[in-house]
Coordinates of all heavy atoms in Angstrom, one line a residue:
M24 N 90.6 114.2 124.5 CA 89.7 113.5 125.4 C 90.2 112.0 125.5 O 90.3 111.4 124.5 CB 88.3 113.6 125.0 CG 87.3 112.7 125.7 SD 85.8 112.5 124.8 CE 84.7 113.5 125.7
A25 N 90.5 111.5 126.7 CA 90.9 110.2 126.8 C 89.8 109.2 126.6 O 88.6 109.5 126.9 CB 91.5 110.0 128.2
V26 N 90.1 108.1 126.0 CA 89.1 107.1 125.7 C 89.4 105.8 126.4 O 90.5 105.3 126.4 CB 89.1 106.8 124.1 CG1 88.2 105.7 123.8 CG2 88.8 108.0 123.4
D27 N 88.4 105.3 127.1 CA 88.5 103.9 127.7 C 88.4 102.9 126.5 O 87.3 102.8 126.0 CB 87.4 103.8 128.7 CG 87.3 102.4 129.3 OD1 87.9 101.4 128.8 OD2 86.7 102.2 130.3
I28 N 89.5 102.3 126.2 CA 89.6 101.4 125.0 C 88.6 100.3 125.1 O 87.9 99.9 124.1 CB 91.0 100.9 124.7 CG1 91.9 102.1 124.4 CG2 91.0 99.9 123.6 CD1 91.6 102.9 123.2
A29 N 88.5 99.7 126.3 CA 87.6 98.5 126.4 C 86.1 98.9 126.2 O 85.4 98.3 125.4 CB 87.7 97.9 127.8
S30 N 85.7 100.1 126.7 CA 84.4 100.6 126.5 C 84.2 101.0 125.0 O 83.1 100.7 124.4 CB 84.1 101.8 127.4 OG 82.9 102.3 127.2
F31 N 85.2 101.7 124.5 CA 85.1 102.1 123.1 C 84.9 100.9 122.1 O 84.1 100.8 121.3 CB 86.4 102.9 122.7 CG 86.3 103.5 121.3 CD1 85.6 104.6 121.1 CD2 87.0 102.9 120.3 CE1 85.6 105.2 119.8 CE2 87.0 103.4 119.0 CZ 86.3 104.6 118.8
R32 N 85.7 99.8 122.4 CA 85.7 98.6 121.6 C 84.3 98.0 121.7 O 83.7 97.6 120.7 CB 86.7 97.6 122.0 CG 86.7 96.3 121.3 CD 87.7 95.3 121.7 NE 89.1 95.8 121.4 CZ 89.9 96.2 122.4 NH1 89.6 96.1 123.6 NH2 91.1 96.6 122.0
K33 N 83.7 97.9 122.9 CA 82.4 97.4 123.1 C 81.4 98.2 122.3 O 80.5 97.6 121.6 CB 82.0 97.4 124.6 CG 80.7 96.9 124.9 CD 80.4 96.9 126.4 CE 78.9 96.6 126.6 NZ 78.5 97.0 127.9
D34 N 81.5 99.5 122.3 CA 80.5 100.4 121.6 C 80.7 100.2 120.1 O 79.7 100.1 119.4 CB 80.8 101.8 121.9 CG 80.4 102.2 123.3 OD1 79.6 101.4 124.0 OD2 80.8 103.3 123.8
V35 N 81.9 100.1 119.6 CA 82.2 99.9 118.2 C 81.6 98.6 117.7 O 80.9 98.5 116.7 CB 83.7 100.0 117.8 CG1 83.9 99.5 116.4 CG2 84.2 101.4 118.0
Y36 N 81.8 97.5 118.5 CA 81.3 96.2 118.1 C 79.8 96.2 118.1 O 79.2 95.6 117.2 CB 81.8 95.1 119.1 CG 83.2 94.7 118.9 CD1 84.1 95.4 118.2 CD2 83.6 93.5 119.6 CE1 85.4 94.9 118.0 CE2 84.9 93.0 119.4 CZ 85.8 93.8 118.6 OH 87.1 93.3 118.5
S37 N 79.2 96.9 119.0 CA 77.7 96.9 119.1 C 77.1 97.7 117.9 O 76.2 97.2 117.3 CB 77.3 97.6 120.4 OG 75.9 97.8 120.4
I38 N 77.7 98.8 117.5 CA 77.3 99.6 116.4 C 77.5 98.8 115.1 O 76.5 98.7 114.3 CB 78.0 100.9 116.3 CG1 77.6 101.8 117.5 CG2 77.8 101.6 115.0 CD1 78.6 102.9 117.8
V39 N 78.6 98.2 114.9 CA 78.9 97.5 113.7 C 78.0 96.3 113.5 O 77.5 96.0 112.5 CB 80.4 97.1 113.6 CG1 80.7 96.1 112.4 CG2 81.3 98.3 113.4
A40 N 77.7 95.6 114.6 CA 76.8 94.5 114.6 C 75.4 94.9 114.2 O 74.7 94.0 113.7 CB 76.8 93.8 116.0
S41 N 75.0 96.1 114.4 CA 73.7 96.6 114.1 C 73.5 97.1 112.7 O 72.4 97.4 112.3 CB 73.2 97.6 115.1 OG 74.0 98.8 115.0
I42 N 74.6 97.2 111.9 CA 74.5 97.7 110.5 C 73.7 96.7 109.7 O 74.1 95.5 109.7 CB 75.9 98.0 109.9 CG1 76.7 99.0 110.7 CG2 75.7 98.5 108.5 CD1 78.1 99.1 110.2
P43 N 72.6 97.1 109.1 CA 71.8 96.2 108.4 C 72.5 95.6 107.1 O 73.3 96.3 106.5 CB 70.5 97.0 108.0 CG 70.6 98.2 108.7 CD 72.0 98.4 109.2
R44 N 72.1 94.4 106.8 CA 72.6 93.8 105.5 C 72.2 94.8 104.4 O 71.1 95.3 104.3 CB 71.9 92.5 105.3 CG 72.3 91.7 104.1 CD 71.6 90.4 104.1 NE 71.9 89.7 102.8 CZ 73.0 89.0 102.5 NH1 73.9 88.9 103.5 NH2 73.1 88.4 101.4
G45 N 73.2 95.0 103.5 CA 73.0 95.8 102.3 C 73.2 97.3 102.6 O 72.8 98.2 101.8
R46 N 73.7 97.6 103.7 CA 74.0 99.0 104.1 C 75.4 99.1 104.6 O 76.0 98.2 105.1 CB 73.1 99.5 105.2 CG 71.6 99.6 104.8 CD 71.4 100.7 103.7 NE 70.1 100.6 103.2 CZ 69.8 101.2 102.1 NH1 70.7 101.8 101.3 NH2 68.6 101.1 101.6
V47 N 76.0 100.4 104.6 CA 77.3 100.6 105.0 C 77.4 101.9 105.9 O 76.5 102.7 105.8 CB 78.4 100.8 103.9 CG1 78.5 99.5 103.1 CG2 78.0 101.9 103.0
L48 N 78.4 102.0 106.8 CA 78.7 103.2 107.5 C 80.1 103.5 107.3 O 80.9 102.6 107.0 CB 78.4 103.0 109.0 CG 77.0 103.0 109.5 CD1 77.0 102.8 111.0 CD2 76.3 104.3 109.2
S49 N 80.5 104.7 107.5 CA 81.9 105.1 107.4 C 82.5 105.0 108.8 O 81.8 105.0 109.9 CB 82.1 106.5 106.9 OG 81.6 107.5 107.9
Y50 N 83.8 104.9 108.9 CA 84.5 104.9 110.2 C 84.2 106.1 111.0 O 84.0 106.0 112.2 CB 86.1 104.9 109.9 CG 86.6 103.6 109.2 CD1 86.8 103.7 107.9 CD2 86.7 102.5 109.9 CE1 87.3 102.5 107.2 CE2 87.2 101.3 109.3 CZ 87.5 101.4 107.9 OH 87.9 100.2 107.3
G51 N 84.1 107.3 110.4 CA 83.7 108.5 111.1 C 82.3 108.4 111.7 O 82.1 108.9 112.8
Q52 N 81.4 107.8 110.9 CA 80.0 107.7 111.5 C 80.0 106.8 112.7 O 79.3 107.0 113.7 CB 79.1 107.2 110.4 CG 78.8 108.2 109.3 CD 78.1 107.6 108.2 OE1 78.5 106.5 107.6 NE2 77.0 108.2 107.8
V53 N 80.8 105.7 112.6 CA 80.8 104.8 113.7 C 81.4 105.5 114.9 O 80.9 105.4 116.1 CB 81.6 103.5 113.4 CG1 81.8 102.6 114.7 CG2 80.9 102.7 112.3
A54 N 82.5 106.3 114.7 CA 83.1 107.0 115.8 C 82.1 108.0 116.4 O 82.0 108.2 117.6 CB 84.4 107.8 115.3
W55 N 81.4 108.7 115.5 CA 80.4 109.7 116.0 C 79.3 109.0 116.9 O 79.0 109.5 117.9 CB 79.8 110.4 114.8 CG 78.7 111.4 115.1 CD1 79.0 112.7 115.6 CD2 77.3 111.2 115.1 NE1 77.8 113.3 115.8 CE2 76.7 112.4 115.6 CE3 76.5 110.2 114.8 CZ2 75.4 112.6 115.7 CZ3 75.1 110.3 114.9 CH2 74.6 111.5 115.3
L56 N 78.9 107.8 116.4 CA 77.9 107.1 117.2 C 78.4 106.6 118.6 O 77.6 106.5 119.5 CB 77.4 105.9 116.4 CG 76.5 106.3 115.2 CD1 76.3 105.0 114.3 CD2 75.2 106.9 115.7
T57 N 79.7 106.5 118.7 CA 80.3 106.1 120.0 C 80.4 107.3 120.9 O 80.6 107.1 122.1 CB 81.7 105.5 119.9 OG1 82.6 106.5 119.5 CG2 81.7 104.3 119.0
G58 N 80.2 108.5 120.4 CA 80.3 109.7 121.2 C 81.8 110.3 121.1 O 82.1 111.2 121.8
H59 N 82.6 109.7 120.2 CA 84.0 110.1 120.1 C 84.2 110.4 118.6 O 84.9 109.7 117.9 CB 84.9 109.1 120.5 CG 84.8 108.8 122.0 ND1 85.3 109.6 123.0 CD2 84.2 107.7 122.6 CE1 85.0 109.0 124.2 NE2 84.3 107.9 124.0
P60 N 83.6 111.5 118.1 CA 83.6 111.8 116.6 C 85.0 112.0 116.0 O 85.1 111.8 114.8 CB 82.7 113.1 116.5 CG 82.8 113.7 117.8 CD 82.9 112.6 118.8
T61 N 86.0 112.2 116.8 CA 87.3 112.4 116.2 C 88.2 111.2 116.2 O 89.3 111.2 115.8 CB 88.1 113.5 116.9 OG1 88.3 113.1 118.3 CG2 87.3 114.9 116.8
H62 N 87.6 110.1 116.6 CA 88.3 108.8 116.7 C 88.1 107.8 115.6 O 88.1 106.6 115.8 CB 88.1 108.2 118.1 CG 88.7 109.0 119.2 ND1 88.3 110.2 119.6 CD2 89.7 108.7 120.0 CE1 89.0 110.7 120.6 NE2 89.9 109.7 120.9
C63 N 87.9 108.3 114.4 CA 87.6 107.3 113.3 C 88.8 106.4 113.0 O 88.6 105.2 112.7 CB 87.2 108.1 112.0 SG 88.4 109.3 111.5
R64 N 90.0 106.8 113.2 CA 91.2 105.9 113.0 C 91.2 104.8 114.1 O 91.6 103.7 113.8 CB 92.5 106.7 113.0 CG 92.7 107.5 111.8 CD 94.0 108.2 111.8 NE 94.1 109.1 110.7 CZ 94.9 108.9 109.7 NH1 95.7 107.8 109.6 NH2 95.0 109.8 108.7
L65 N 90.8 105.2 115.3 CA 90.7 104.2 116.3 C 89.6 103.1 116.0 O 89.8 102.0 116.3 CB 90.4 104.9 117.7 CG 90.5 104.0 118.9 CD1 91.8 103.2 119.0 CD2 90.2 104.8 120.2
V66 N 88.5 103.6 115.4 CA 87.5 102.6 114.9 C 88.2 101.6 114.0 O 88.0 100.4 114.1 CB 86.3 103.3 114.2 CG1 85.4 102.3 113.5 CG2 85.6 104.2 115.2
G67 N 89.0 102.1 113.0 CA 89.7 101.2 112.1 C 90.6 100.2 112.8 O 90.7 99.0 112.5
S68 N 91.3 100.7 113.8 CA 92.2 99.8 114.6 C 91.5 98.8 115.4 O 91.9 97.6 115.4 CB 93.0 100.7 115.6 OG 93.9 101.5 114.9
V69 N 90.4 99.2 116.0 CA 89.5 98.2 116.7 C 89.0 97.1 115.8 O 89.0 95.9 116.1 CB 88.4 99.0 117.4 CG1 87.3 98.0 117.9 CG2 88.9 99.8 118.6
L70 N 88.5 97.5 114.6 CA 88.0 96.6 113.7 C 89.0 95.7 113.1 O 88.8 94.5 112.9 CB 87.2 97.3 112.6 CG 85.9 98.0 113.0 CD1 85.2 98.6 111.9 CD2 85.0 97.0 113.7
H71 N 90.2 96.2 112.9 CA 91.3 95.4 112.4 C 91.7 94.3 113.4 O 92.1 93.2 113.0 CB 92.5 96.3 112.1 CG 93.7 95.6 111.5 ND1 93.7 95.1 110.3 CD2 94.9 95.2 112.1 CE1 94.9 94.5 110.0 NE2 95.6 94.5 111.1
G72 N 91.5 94.6 114.7 CA 91.9 93.7 115.7 C 90.7 92.7 116.0 O 90.9 91.8 116.8
A73 N 89.6 92.9 115.4 CA 88.5 92.0 115.7 C 88.7 90.6 115.1 O 89.2 90.5 114.0 CB 87.2 92.6 115.1
A74 N 88.5 89.6 115.9 CA 88.7 88.2 115.4 C 87.5 87.8 114.5 O 86.4 88.3 114.7 CB 88.8 87.3 116.6
E75 N 87.8 87.0 113.5 CA 86.7 86.6 112.6 C 85.7 85.8 113.4 O 84.5 85.9 113.1 CB 87.3 85.7 111.5 CG 88.0 86.4 110.5 CD 88.4 85.5 109.3 OE1 87.6 84.6 109.0 OE2 89.4 85.8 108.7
S76 N 86.1 85.2 114.5 CA 85.1 84.5 115.3 C 84.1 85.4 116.0 O 83.1 85.0 116.5 CB 85.8 83.6 116.4 OG 86.6 84.5 117.2
D77 N 84.4 86.7 116.0 CA 83.5 87.7 116.7 C 82.2 87.8 115.8 O 81.2 88.3 116.3 CB 84.1 89.0 116.8 CG 85.2 89.1 117.9 OD1 85.1 88.2 118.8 OD2 86.1 89.9 117.8
G78 N 82.2 87.4 114.6 CA 81.0 87.4 113.7 C 80.6 88.8 113.4 O 79.4 89.0 113.0
L79 N 81.4 89.8 113.5 CA 81.0 91.2 113.1 C 81.0 91.4 111.6 O 81.9 90.9 111.0 CB 82.0 92.2 113.8 CG 82.0 92.4 115.3 CD1 83.1 93.3 115.7 CD2 80.6 92.9 115.7
P80 N 80.1 92.1 111.1 CA 80.0 92.4 109.7 C 81.0 93.6 109.4 O 80.5 94.7 108.9 CB 78.6 92.7 109.4 CG 78.1 93.3 110.7 CD 78.8 92.6 111.8
C81 N 82.2 93.5 109.7 CA 83.2 94.6 109.5 C 83.3 95.1 108.1 O 83.7 96.2 107.8 CB 84.6 94.1 110.0 SG 84.7 93.7 111.7
H82 N 82.9 94.2 107.2 CA 82.9 94.5 105.7 C 82.0 95.7 105.4 O 82.1 96.3 104.4 CB 82.7 93.3 104.9 CG 81.3 92.7 105.0 ND1 81.0 92.0 106.1 CD2 80.2 92.9 104.3 CE1 79.7 91.6 106.0 NE2 79.2 92.1 104.9
R83 N 81.0 96.0 106.3 CA 80.1 97.0 106.1 C 80.6 98.4 106.5 O 79.8 99.4 106.5 CB 78.8 96.7 106.8 CG 78.1 95.4 106.3 CD 76.8 95.1 107.0 NE 76.3 93.8 106.5 CZ 75.6 93.0 107.3 NH1 75.3 93.3 108.5 NH2 75.2 91.9 106.8
V84 N 81.8 98.5 106.9 CA 82.4 99.8 107.3 C 83.5 100.1 106.2 O 84.4 99.3 106.0 CB 83.0 99.7 108.7 CG1 83.6 101.1 109.1 CG2 82.0 99.2 109.7
V85 N 83.3 101.3 105.7 CA 84.2 101.8 104.6 C 84.6 103.2 105.0 O 84.1 103.8 105.9 CB 83.5 101.8 103.2 CG1 83.2 100.3 102.8 CG2 82.2 102.6 103.2
N86 N 85.5 103.8 104.2 CA 85.9 105.2 104.5 C 84.8 106.1 104.0 O 83.9 105.7 103.3 CB 87.3 105.5 104.1 CG 87.4 105.9 102.6 OD1 86.5 105.9 101.9 ND2 88.7 106.1 102.2
S87 N 84.9 107.4 104.3 CA 83.9 108.4 104.0 C 83.6 108.5 102.5 O 82.6 108.9 102.1 CB 84.2 109.7 104.6 OG 85.4 110.2 104.1
A88 N 84.6 108.2 101.7 CA 84.5 108.2 100.2 C 83.9 106.9 99.7 O 83.7 106.8 98.5 CB 85.8 108.5 99.6
G89 N 83.7 105.9 100.5 CA 83.2 104.6 100.1 C 84.3 103.7 99.7 O 84.0 102.6 99.2
R90 N 85.6 104.0 100.0 CA 86.7 103.1 99.6 C 86.7 101.9 100.6 O 86.5 102.1 101.8 CB 88.0 103.8 99.6 CG 88.2 104.6 98.3 CD 89.6 105.1 98.2 NE 90.1 106.0 99.2 CZ 89.9 107.3 99.2 NH1 89.3 107.9 98.1 NH2 90.3 108.1 100.2
T91 N 87.0 100.8 100.1 CA 87.2 99.6 100.9 C 88.6 99.5 101.5 O 89.5 100.3 101.1 CB 86.9 98.3 100.1 OG1 87.7 98.3 99.0 CG2 85.4 98.3 99.7
V92 N 88.8 98.6 102.3 CA 90.1 98.4 103.0 C 91.2 97.9 101.9 O 90.9 96.9 101.3 CB 90.1 97.4 104.1 CG1 91.4 97.2 104.7 CG2 89.1 97.9 105.2
P93 N 92.3 98.6 101.8 CA 93.3 98.2 100.9 C 93.8 96.8 101.2 O 94.1 96.5 102.4 CB 94.4 99.2 101.0 CG 93.8 100.4 101.6 CD 92.7 99.9 102.4
G94 N 93.9 95.9 100.3 CA 94.5 94.6 100.5 C 93.4 93.6 101.0 O 93.8 92.4 101.2
W95 N 92.2 94.0 101.3 CA 91.2 93.1 101.7 C 90.2 92.9 100.6 O 89.1 93.5 100.5 CB 90.5 93.6 103.0 CG 89.5 92.6 103.6 CD1 89.5 91.3 103.4 CD2 88.4 92.9 104.4 NE1 88.4 90.7 104.1 CE2 87.7 91.7 104.7 CE3 87.9 94.1 105.0 CZ2 86.6 91.7 105.6 CZ3 86.8 94.1 105.8 CH2 86.2 92.8 106.1
Q96 N 90.6 92.1 99.6 CA 89.8 91.9 98.4 C 88.4 91.3 98.7 O 87.5 91.5 98.0 CB 90.6 90.9 97.4 CG 92.0 91.4 97.1 CD 92.0 92.8 96.5 OE1 91.1 93.2 95.7 NE2 92.9 93.7 96.9
E97 N 88.3 90.5 99.8 CA 87.1 89.8 100.1 C 86.0 90.8 100.5 O 84.8 90.6 100.3 CB 87.3 88.8 101.2 CG 86.0 88.0 101.4 CD 86.2 86.9 102.5 OE1 87.3 87.0 103.2 OE2 85.4 86.1 102.7
Q98 N 86.4 92.0 101.0 CA 85.4 93.0 101.4 C 84.4 93.4 100.3 O 83.2 93.4 100.5 CB 86.1 94.2 102.0 CG 85.1 95.3 102.5 CD 85.8 96.5 103.1 OE1 86.9 96.8 102.8 NE2 85.0 97.2 103.9
R99 N 85.0 93.6 99.1 CA 84.1 94.0 98.0 C 83.2 92.8 97.6 O 82.0 93.0 97.4 CB 84.9 94.4 96.8 CG 84.1 94.7 95.6 CD 84.9 95.2 94.4 NE 84.0 95.4 93.3 CZ 84.0 96.5 92.5 NH1 84.9 97.5 92.8 NH2 83.1 96.7 91.5
R100 N 83.7 91.6 97.6 CA 82.8 90.4 97.3 C 81.7 90.3 98.3 O 80.6 90.0 98.0 CB 83.7 89.2 97.3 CG 82.9 87.9 96.8 CD 83.7 86.7 97.0 NE 84.1 86.4 98.4 CZ 83.3 85.9 99.3 NH1 82.0 85.8 99.0 NH2 83.7 85.7 100.5
L101 N 82.0 90.5 99.6 CA 81.0 90.4 100.7 C 79.9 91.4 100.5 O 78.7 91.2 100.6 CB 81.7 90.5 102.0 CG 82.5 89.3 102.5 CD1 83.3 89.7 103.7 CD2 81.7 88.1 102.7
L102 N 80.3 92.7 100.2 CA 79.4 93.7 99.9 C 78.5 93.5 98.7 O 77.3 93.7 98.7 CB 80.1 95.1 99.8 CG 80.8 95.6 101.1 CD1 81.6 96.8 100.9 CD2 79.7 95.9 102.2
E103 N 79.1 93.0 97.6 CA 78.4 92.7 96.4 C 77.4 91.6 96.7 O 76.3 91.6 96.1 CB 79.3 92.3 95.3 CG 80.1 93.5 94.7 CD 81.1 93.2 93.7 OE1 81.6 92.0 93.7 OE2 81.4 94.1 92.9
A104 N 77.7 90.6 97.5 CA 76.8 89.5 97.8 C 75.6 90.0 98.6 O 74.5 89.4 98.6 CB 77.6 88.5 98.7
E105 N 75.7 91.2 99.2 CA 74.6 91.8 99.9 C 73.8 92.8 98.9 O 72.9 93.5 99.4 CB 75.0 92.6 101.1 CG 75.6 91.6 102.2 CD 76.0 92.3 103.5 OE1 75.7 93.6 103.6 OE2 76.6 91.7 104.3
G106 N 74.2 92.9 97.7 CA 73.5 93.7 96.7 C 74.1 95.1 96.6 O 73.6 95.9 95.8
I107 N 75.2 95.4 97.3 CA 75.8 96.7 97.2 C 76.6 96.8 95.9 O 77.3 95.9 95.5 CB 76.7 97.0 98.4 CG1 75.8 97.1 99.7 CG2 77.5 98.2 98.2 CD1 76.6 97.3 101.0
T108 N 76.4 97.9 95.2 CA 77.0 98.2 93.9 C 78.1 99.2 94.1 O 78.1 100.0 95.1 CB 76.1 98.6 92.9 OG1 75.4 99.8 93.3 CG2 75.0 97.5 92.5
F109 N 79.0 99.2 93.2 CA 80.2 100.1 93.3 C 80.2 101.1 92.1 O 79.7 100.8 91.0 CB 81.5 99.3 93.3 CG 81.7 98.6 94.6 CD1 81.0 97.4 94.9 CD2 82.6 99.1 95.5 CE1 81.2 96.8 96.1 CE2 82.8 98.4 96.7 CZ 82.1 97.3 97.0
R110 N 80.7 102.3 92.3 CA 80.8 103.3 91.2 C 82.0 102.9 90.4 O 82.8 102.0 90.7 CB 81.1 104.7 91.9 CG 79.9 105.1 92.7 CD 80.0 106.6 93.2 NE 81.4 106.9 93.5 CZ 81.8 107.5 94.6 NH1 80.9 107.9 95.5 NH2 83.0 107.8 94.8
P111 N 82.1 103.5 89.2 CA 83.2 103.1 88.3 C 84.6 103.2 88.9 O 85.6 102.6 88.5 CB 83.1 104.1 87.1 CG 81.6 104.4 87.1 CD 81.2 104.4 88.6
N112 N 84.8 104.1 89.9 CA 86.1 104.3 90.6 C 86.4 103.3 91.6 O 87.4 103.3 92.3 CB 86.2 105.7 91.2 CG 85.2 106.0 92.3 OD1 84.5 105.1 92.7 ND2 85.3 107.2 92.9
G113 N 85.5 102.3 91.8 CA 85.7 101.2 92.7 C 85.2 101.5 94.1 O 85.4 100.7 95.0
C114 N 84.5 102.6 94.4 CA 84.0 103.0 95.7 C 82.5 102.7 95.8 O 81.8 102.7 94.8 CB 84.2 104.5 96.0 SG 86.0 105.0 96.1
V115 N 82.1 102.4 97.0 CA 80.7 102.2 97.3 C 80.0 103.6 97.1 O 80.6 104.6 97.5 CB 80.5 101.8 98.8 CG1 79.0 101.8 99.1 CG2 81.1 100.4 99.0
D116 N 78.8 103.6 96.5 CA 78.1 104.8 96.3 C 77.4 105.1 97.7 O 76.4 104.5 98.0 CB 77.0 104.6 95.2 CG 76.2 105.9 95.0 OD1 76.3 106.8 95.8 OD2 75.5 105.9 93.9
M117 N 78.0 106.0 98.4 CA 77.6 106.3 99.8 C 76.2 106.9 99.8 O 75.4 106.6 100.7 CB 78.5 107.2 100.5 CG 79.9 106.5 100.8 SD 79.8 105.0 101.8 CE 79.7 105.7 103.5
K118 N 75.8 107.7 98.8 CA 74.5 108.2 98.8 C 73.4 107.2 98.6 O 72.3 107.3 99.2 CB 74.4 109.2 97.6 CG 75.1 110.5 97.8 CD 75.0 111.5 96.7 CE 75.8 112.7 97.0 NZ 75.7 113.7 95.9
K119 N 73.7 106.1 98.0 CA 72.8 105.0 97.7 C 72.8 104.0 98.9 O 71.7 103.5 99.3 CB 73.1 104.4 96.4 CG 72.1 103.3 96.0 CD 72.4 102.8 94.6 CE 71.3 101.8 94.2 NZ 71.5 101.3 92.8
W120 N 73.9 103.6 99.4 CA 74.1 102.5 100.3 C 74.3 102.8 101.7 O 74.3 101.9 102.6 CB 75.1 101.5 99.8 CG 74.8 101.0 98.4 CD1 75.4 101.3 97.2 CD2 73.7 100.1 98.0 NE1 74.8 100.7 96.2 CE2 73.8 100.0 96.6 CE3 72.7 99.5 98.8 CZ2 72.9 99.2 96.0 CZ3 71.8 98.7 98.1 CH2 71.9 98.5 96.7
Q121 N 74.6 104.1 102.1 CA 74.8 104.4 103.4 C 73.6 104.2 104.3 O 72.5 104.6 103.9 CB 75.3 105.9 103.5 CG 75.6 106.4 104.9 CD 76.1 107.8 104.8 OE1 76.0 108.5 103.8 NE2 76.5 108.3 105.9
W122 N 73.8 103.6 105.5 CA 72.7 103.4 106.4 C 72.3 104.8 106.9 O 73.0 105.5 107.5 CB 73.2 102.5 107.5 CG 72.1 102.1 108.5 CD1 70.8 102.1 108.3 CD2 72.3 101.7 109.9 NE1 70.1 101.7 109.5 CE2 71.1 101.4 110.4 CE3 73.4 101.5 110.7 CZ2 70.9 101.0 111.7 CZ3 73.3 101.1 111.9 CH2 72.0 100.8 112.5
K123 N 71.0 105.1 106.7 CA 70.5 106.4 107.1 C 70.1 106.3 108.6 O 69.2 105.5 108.9 CB 69.3 106.8 106.3 CG 69.5 106.8 104.8 CD 70.5 107.9 104.4 CE 70.6 108.0 102.9 NZ 71.9 107.7 102.3
L124 N 70.7 107.0 109.4 CA 70.5 107.0 110.8 C 69.5 108.1 111.2 O 69.9 109.2 111.4 CB 71.8 107.2 111.6 CG 72.9 106.2 111.2 CD1 74.2 106.6 111.8 CD2 72.5 104.8 111.7
E125 N 68.2 107.7 111.3 CA 67.2 108.7 111.5 C 66.5 108.5 112.8 O 66.5 107.5 113.4 CB 66.2 108.7 110.4 CG 66.8 109.0 109.1 CD 65.8 108.8 107.9 OE1 64.6 108.7 108.2 OE2 66.3 108.8 106.8

């Protein structure tokens, strides 16, 4: 299914902007919320291209196992500042901190 990138980017930004402080979503969940559940890698690409000036809380998006972005050391610090704790393996405890979309 072809994706209109501009529309997809707008949807991703809107979803990420709505993630509450102290909660996380996975790339797959963001993709699902856009209506394109198989496009989780595209979510990552869109967020990677987001300018810091966009003010998006991109740090609240992790992979499905709760792993943070490799090489982005500040992500963990930002999440911890919001009260999010990590398991001994360095991953966010998704059962505890995942935003429950009900």
